Amino acid sequence: MGNTGRAIDRPEEYIVNVTPQWLPAWDDDEGARRATTLFRGRFGTEPDGVWSAPGRVNLIGEHTDYNGGLCLPINLPHRTYVALRRTGDGTGAGPSDAVVRLTSAQEADAELWSRPLADVGPGTVDGWPAYAAGVAWSLAADGHDVGGFDAAVDSCVPYGAGLSSSAALECAVAVALDEVFTLGLGGDDAGRARLAAACIRAENEIAGAPTGGMDQSSSLRARAGHALLLDTRDHTTRHVPFVLAPHGLALLVVDTRASHQLADGQYAARRTACEDAAAQLGVATLREIDPAGLDDALARLADGALPADVVRRRVRHVVTEIARVTELVGLLESGRIRDAGPVLDASHASLRDDYEVSSGELDLVVDSARAAGALGARMTGGGFGGSAIALVEVDQVDAVAGAVAEAFGLQRLTAPAFLVALASAPAGRTR
Ligand code: GLA
């Protein structure tokens, strides 16, 4: 009873869980073992191998990839593992007896998903199998000899957290199919760019999410210890060293656990607004707008499907965000990561105020992380929920995570989850 008085004085002490929940990454042994065990149990035979692909977190350059702009993702240590066995011949157009069978540890009670490859197409597949079967469809549509296969999937990429669990699945399947059907694409960057294009097409046309391609490019093309500077105008890349430990820093990723759904209308609406603005300005993409001429360009925008002031803010975000990517790359390449906080903060403000894709939970992560000493913080990925990143002193990781968890507890929000991102290896064969 001695606590009763304090509970009345400070009730939050009794509901706040300040112990951060961490999201561990599996090592390759564990991932391969899980996927192989699932495969044996569901298909009663051995897989040809296990392939895996990482989720990603974007450092900066948000909502720029469908505007011909720049972005700068790193791969996470968290990967999706696919044990896969080729069951039929690749015959180009895909015969009706080429069957795709899929199972996922994340859908433990579900029936085995099974479908002739010839029956996979836009609008024919719902849910997670669209991301896996869709890649086989788009590779076949691209003229590659892909036939039937069985696949078992297991993953430690946080699901629905804006950390590219979908792209991790697509890219793991892509490198697996590349190898078992000897497509010869996975061995060099040019081939990987083609695999990425197939994954993007699967996501756009089979899964129906109008995303821009950063996620798949990262998962297939970014290197360990590096961020990927991706120029989406021509899909050229540069590998920017990104190792924080020598600087005494760490990148904290916070999954708000607030619902986030890319196939919904908000993402598509932003994309349409950008395309309409580019058409009004007579340019192919917003990338063509010179930041020095931004005010003139904004002044030329008129009311259309959206009021002009809304379109102006959307355009201002995209043009200034592309410039911030260049700024951050400059800091990274000159060893000045400690000066990066304001660039991250400015990106968040732009996404919150001009692009309007943040959320109360994302703003809370950013504000509470900064108040607890983060050098800078921003939402990452598509927004509307999902995850945020914070650049923190390595010896303050626990304190900042604790402060964010406490801030969520005080507002009675679902507890967030945390991971520390190290720039990790791209998709490839694991076993
Ligand atoms: C999602 C999409 C990406 C990109 C980001 C926003 O992650 O999948 O293509 O548009 O949103 O930068």
Coordinates of all heavy atoms in Angstrom, one line a residue, residues 220-268:
L220 N 20.1 -5.1 -53.7 CA 20.9 -5.9 -54.6 C 22.2 -5.3 -54.9 O 23.2 -6.0 -55.3 CB 20.1 -6.0 -56.0 CG 19.0 -7.1 -55.9 CD1 18.0 -6.8 -57.0 CD2 19.6 -8.5 -56.2
R221 N 22.4 -3.9 -54.7 CA 23.6 -3.3 -55.2 C 24.4 -2.6 -54.2 O 25.6 -2.2 -54.5 CB 23.2 -2.3 -56.3 CG 22.4 -2.9 -57.5 CD 21.9 -1.9 -58.5 NE 23.0 -1.3 -59.3 CZ 22.8 -0.3 -60.1 NH1 21.7 0.3 -60.2 NH2 23.9 0.2 -60.7
A222 N 23.9 -2.3 -53.0 CA 24.7 -1.6 -52.0 C 25.7 -2.6 -51.4 O 25.5 -3.8 -51.3 CB 23.8 -1.0 -50.9
R223 N 26.9 -2.1 -50.9 CA 27.9 -2.9 -50.4 C 28.0 -2.8 -48.8 O 27.7 -1.7 -48.3 CB 29.3 -2.5 -50.9 CG 29.4 -2.7 -52.4 CD 30.8 -2.3 -52.9 NE 30.8 -2.4 -54.4 CZ 31.7 -1.8 -55.1 NH1 32.6 -0.9 -54.5 NH2 31.7 -1.9 -56.4
A224 N 28.5 -3.8 -48.2 CA 28.8 -3.7 -46.8 C 29.8 -2.6 -46.5 O 30.7 -2.3 -47.3 CB 29.4 -5.0 -46.3
G225 N 29.5 -1.9 -45.4 CA 30.4 -0.8 -45.0 C 30.2 0.5 -45.9 O 30.9 1.5 -45.7
H226 N 29.2 0.5 -46.7 CA 28.9 1.6 -47.6 C 27.5 2.0 -47.7 O 26.6 1.1 -47.6 CB 29.4 1.3 -49.0 CG 30.9 1.2 -49.1 ND1 31.6 0.0 -48.7 CD2 31.9 2.0 -49.6 CE1 32.9 0.2 -48.9 NE2 33.1 1.4 -49.4
A227 N 27.2 3.3 -47.9 CA 25.9 3.7 -48.4 C 25.9 3.7 -49.9 O 26.9 3.8 -50.5 CB 25.5 5.0 -47.8
L228 N 24.7 3.5 -50.5 CA 24.6 3.5 -51.9 C 24.0 4.9 -52.4 O 22.9 5.2 -52.1 CB 23.6 2.4 -52.4 CG 23.5 2.3 -53.9 CD1 24.7 1.5 -54.5 CD2 22.2 1.5 -54.2
L229 N 24.9 5.6 -53.0 CA 24.3 6.9 -53.7 C 23.7 6.5 -55.0 O 24.5 6.1 -55.9 CB 25.4 7.9 -53.8 CG 25.0 9.2 -54.6 CD1 23.9 9.9 -53.9 CD2 26.2 10.1 -54.8
L230 N 22.4 6.5 -55.0 CA 21.7 6.0 -56.2 C 21.1 7.2 -57.0 O 20.4 8.0 -56.4 CB 20.6 5.1 -55.8 CG 19.6 4.6 -57.0 CD1 20.3 3.7 -57.9 CD2 18.4 3.9 -56.4
D231 N 21.5 7.4 -58.2 CA 20.9 8.4 -59.1 C 19.8 7.8 -59.9 O 20.1 7.0 -60.8 CB 22.0 9.0 -60.0 CG 21.5 10.2 -60.8 OD1 20.3 10.3 -61.0 OD2 22.3 11.0 -61.1
T232 N 18.6 8.0 -59.5 CA 17.5 7.3 -60.2 C 17.1 7.9 -61.6 O 16.2 7.4 -62.2 CB 16.2 7.3 -59.3 OG1 15.8 8.7 -59.1 CG2 16.5 6.7 -57.9
R233 N 17.9 8.9 -62.0 CA 17.7 9.4 -63.4 C 18.2 8.4 -64.3 O 17.6 8.1 -65.4 CB 18.4 10.7 -63.5 CG 18.3 11.4 -64.9 CD 18.4 12.9 -64.8 NE 19.7 13.3 -64.2 CZ 20.1 14.5 -64.1 NH1 19.3 15.5 -64.4 NH2 21.2 14.8 -63.5
D234 N 19.4 7.7 -64.0 CA 19.9 6.8 -64.9 C 20.4 5.5 -64.2 O 21.0 4.6 -64.8 CB 21.1 7.4 -65.7 CG 22.2 8.0 -64.7 OD1 22.0 7.7 -63.5 OD2 23.1 8.7 -65.1
H235 N 20.0 5.4 -62.9 CA 20.3 4.2 -62.1 C 21.8 4.0 -61.9 O 22.3 2.8 -61.7 CB 19.6 3.0 -62.6 CG 18.1 3.1 -62.4 ND1 17.5 2.8 -61.2 CD2 17.2 3.6 -63.2 CE1 16.2 3.1 -61.3 NE2 16.0 3.6 -62.5
T236 N 22.6 5.0 -62.1 CA 24.0 4.9 -61.8 C 24.2 5.0 -60.3 O 23.3 5.5 -59.5 CB 24.9 6.0 -62.5 OG1 24.3 7.3 -62.2 CG2 24.9 5.8 -64.0
T237 N 25.3 4.5 -59.8 CA 25.5 4.4 -58.3 C 27.0 4.9 -57.9 O 27.9 4.8 -58.8 CB 25.4 3.0 -57.8 OG1 26.4 2.2 -58.4 CG2 24.0 2.4 -58.1
R238 N 27.1 5.2 -56.7 CA 28.5 5.4 -56.1 C 28.4 4.9 -54.7 O 27.4 5.0 -54.0 CB 28.8 6.9 -56.1 CG 30.2 7.3 -55.7 CD 30.5 8.7 -56.2 NE 30.5 9.6 -55.2 CZ 30.2 10.9 -55.3 NH1 29.7 11.3 -56.5 NH2 30.2 11.7 -54.3
H239 N 29.5 4.2 -54.3 CA 29.5 3.6 -53.0 C 30.2 4.5 -52.0 O 31.4 4.8 -52.2 CB 30.2 2.2 -53.1 CG 29.5 1.3 -54.0 ND1 28.4 0.6 -53.6 CD2 29.7 1.0 -55.3 CE1 27.9 -0.1 -54.7 NE2 28.7 0.1 -55.7
V240 N 29.5 5.0 -51.0 CA 30.0 6.0 -50.1 C 30.3 5.4 -48.8 O 29.4 4.8 -48.1 CB 28.9 7.1 -49.9 CG1 29.4 8.2 -48.9 CG2 28.5 7.8 -51.3
P241 N 31.6 5.4 -48.4 CA 31.9 4.7 -47.1 C 31.0 5.1 -46.0 O 30.8 6.3 -45.8 CB 33.4 5.1 -46.9 CG 33.9 5.3 -48.3 CD 32.8 5.9 -49.0
F242 N 30.5 4.2 -45.2 CA 29.6 4.5 -44.1 C 29.9 3.6 -42.9 O 29.2 2.5 -42.8 CB 28.1 4.4 -44.5 CG 27.2 5.0 -43.5 CD1 27.0 6.3 -43.3 CD2 26.4 4.1 -42.7 CE1 26.2 6.8 -42.3 CE2 25.6 4.6 -41.7 CZ 25.5 5.9 -41.5
V243 N 30.9 3.9 -42.2 CA 31.3 3.1 -41.0 C 31.4 4.1 -39.8 O 32.2 5.0 -39.9 CB 32.6 2.4 -41.2 CG1 32.9 1.6 -39.9 CG2 32.5 1.5 -42.4
L244 N 30.5 4.0 -38.9 CA 30.3 5.1 -37.9 C 31.2 4.9 -36.7 O 31.6 5.8 -36.0 CB 28.9 5.2 -37.4 CG 27.9 5.6 -38.5 CD1 26.5 5.7 -37.9 CD2 28.3 7.0 -39.1
A245 N 31.6 3.6 -36.4 CA 32.3 3.3 -35.1 C 33.6 4.1 -34.9 O 33.8 4.7 -33.8 CB 32.6 1.8 -35.0
P246 N 34.4 4.3 -36.0 CA 35.6 5.1 -35.8 C 35.3 6.6 -35.4 O 36.2 7.2 -34.8 CB 36.3 5.1 -37.1 CG 35.7 3.9 -37.8 CD 34.3 3.7 -37.3
H247 N 34.1 7.0 -35.6 CA 33.7 8.4 -35.3 C 33.0 8.4 -33.9 O 32.5 9.4 -33.5 CB 32.8 8.9 -36.3 CG 33.4 9.0 -37.7 ND1 34.1 10.1 -38.1 CD2 33.3 8.2 -38.7 CE1 34.5 9.9 -39.3 NE2 34.1 8.7 -39.8
G248 N 32.9 7.2 -33.3 CA 32.2 7.2 -32.0 C 30.7 7.3 -32.1 O 30.1 7.7 -31.1
L249 N 30.2 7.0 -33.3 CA 28.8 7.2 -33.5 C 28.1 5.9 -33.9 O 28.7 4.9 -34.2 CB 28.6 8.2 -34.6 CG 29.1 9.6 -34.4 CD1 29.0 10.5 -35.6 CD2 28.3 10.3 -33.2
A250 N 26.7 5.9 -33.8 CA 25.9 4.8 -34.2 C 24.7 5.3 -34.8 O 24.2 6.4 -34.5 CB 25.6 3.9 -33.0
L251 N 24.1 4.5 -35.7 CA 22.8 4.8 -36.3 C 21.7 4.0 -35.7 O 21.6 2.8 -35.8 CB 22.8 4.6 -37.8 CG 21.6 5.2 -38.5 CD1 21.6 6.7 -38.6 CD2 21.4 4.6 -39.9
L252 N 20.9 4.7 -34.9 CA 19.8 4.0 -34.2 C 18.5 4.1 -35.1 O 18.2 5.1 -35.6 CB 19.5 4.7 -32.9 CG 18.4 4.2 -32.0 CD1 18.7 2.8 -31.5 CD2 18.1 5.2 -30.8
V253 N 17.9 2.9 -35.3 CA 16.6 2.9 -36.1 C 15.5 2.5 -35.1 O 15.6 1.6 -34.3 CB 16.7 1.8 -37.2 CG1 15.4 1.7 -38.0 CG2 17.9 2.0 -38.1
V254 N 14.4 3.3 -35.2 CA 13.3 3.1 -34.3 C 12.1 2.8 -35.2 O 11.6 3.6 -36.0 CB 13.0 4.4 -33.5 CG1 11.9 4.1 -32.5 CG2 14.3 4.9 -32.9
D255 N 11.5 1.6 -35.0 CA 10.3 1.2 -35.6 C 9.1 1.6 -34.7 O 9.0 1.2 -33.6 CB 10.3 -0.3 -35.8 CG 8.9 -0.9 -36.2 OD1 8.0 -0.1 -36.6 OD2 8.8 -2.1 -36.2
T256 N 8.3 2.6 -35.2 CA 7.3 3.1 -34.4 C 6.2 2.1 -34.1 O 5.3 2.3 -33.2 CB 6.6 4.3 -35.0 OG1 6.0 3.9 -36.3 CG2 7.6 5.5 -35.3
R257 N 6.2 1.0 -34.9 CA 5.1 0.1 -34.8 C 3.7 0.7 -35.1 O 2.7 0.1 -34.8 CB 5.0 -0.6 -33.4 CG 6.3 -1.4 -33.1 CD 5.9 -2.9 -32.9 NE 7.0 -3.8 -32.7 CZ 7.5 -4.2 -31.5 NH1 6.9 -3.7 -30.4 NH2 8.4 -5.0 -31.4
A258 N 3.7 1.8 -35.7 CA 2.5 2.4 -36.1 C 2.2 1.9 -37.6 O 3.1 1.9 -38.4 CB 2.5 3.9 -36.1
S259 N 0.9 1.7 -37.9 CA 0.7 1.0 -39.1 C 1.1 1.8 -40.3 O 1.1 3.1 -40.3 CB -0.8 0.7 -39.3 OG -1.5 1.9 -39.8
H260 N 1.6 1.1 -41.4 CA 2.2 1.8 -42.5 C 1.9 0.9 -43.7 O 2.1 -0.3 -43.6 CB 3.7 1.9 -42.2 CG 4.6 1.6 -43.3 ND1 5.1 2.6 -44.1 CD2 5.1 0.5 -43.8 CE1 5.9 2.0 -45.0 NE2 5.9 0.8 -44.8
Q261 N 1.3 1.4 -44.7 CA 0.9 0.6 -45.8 C 1.2 1.4 -47.1 O 0.5 2.3 -47.4 CB -0.6 0.3 -45.7 CG -1.1 -0.5 -46.8 CD -0.3 -1.8 -47.0 OE1 0.6 -1.8 -47.9 NE2 -0.7 -2.9 -46.3
L262 N 2.2 0.9 -47.9 CA 2.6 1.6 -49.0 C 1.6 1.5 -50.2 O 1.6 2.4 -51.0 CB 4.0 1.1 -49.5 CG 5.2 1.7 -48.9 CD1 6.4 1.2 -49.6 CD2 5.1 3.2 -49.0
A263 N 0.9 0.5 -50.2 CA 0.0 0.3 -51.4 C -1.3 1.2 -51.2 O -2.1 1.2 -52.1 CB -0.5 -1.1 -51.5
D264 N -1.3 2.0 -50.1 CA -2.5 2.9 -49.9 C -2.4 4.1 -50.8 O -1.4 4.4 -51.5 CB -2.7 3.2 -48.4 CG -1.7 4.2 -47.9 OD1 -0.9 4.7 -48.7 OD2 -1.8 4.6 -46.7
G265 N -3.4 4.9 -50.7 CA -3.5 6.1 -51.6 C -2.6 7.2 -51.3 O -2.3 8.0 -52.2
Q266 N -2.1 7.4 -50.1 CA -1.3 8.5 -49.8 C 0.1 8.6 -50.6 O 0.5 9.6 -51.1 CB -0.9 8.6 -48.3 CG -2.1 8.9 -47.4 CD -2.6 10.3 -47.6 OE1 -1.9 11.1 -48.1 NE2 -3.8 10.6 -47.1
Y267 N 0.7 7.4 -50.7 CA 2.0 7.4 -51.4 C 1.7 7.7 -52.9 O 2.4 8.5 -53.5 CB 2.6 6.0 -51.2 CG 4.0 5.8 -51.9 CD1 5.1 6.0 -51.1 CD2 4.1 5.5 -53.2 CE1 6.4 5.9 -51.7 CE2 5.4 5.4 -53.8 CZ 6.5 5.6 -53.1 OH 7.7 5.4 -53.6
A268 N 0.7 7.0 -53.4 CA 0.4 7.2 -54.8 C 0.0 8.7 -55.1 O 0.3 9.3 -56.1 CB -0.8 6.3 -55.2

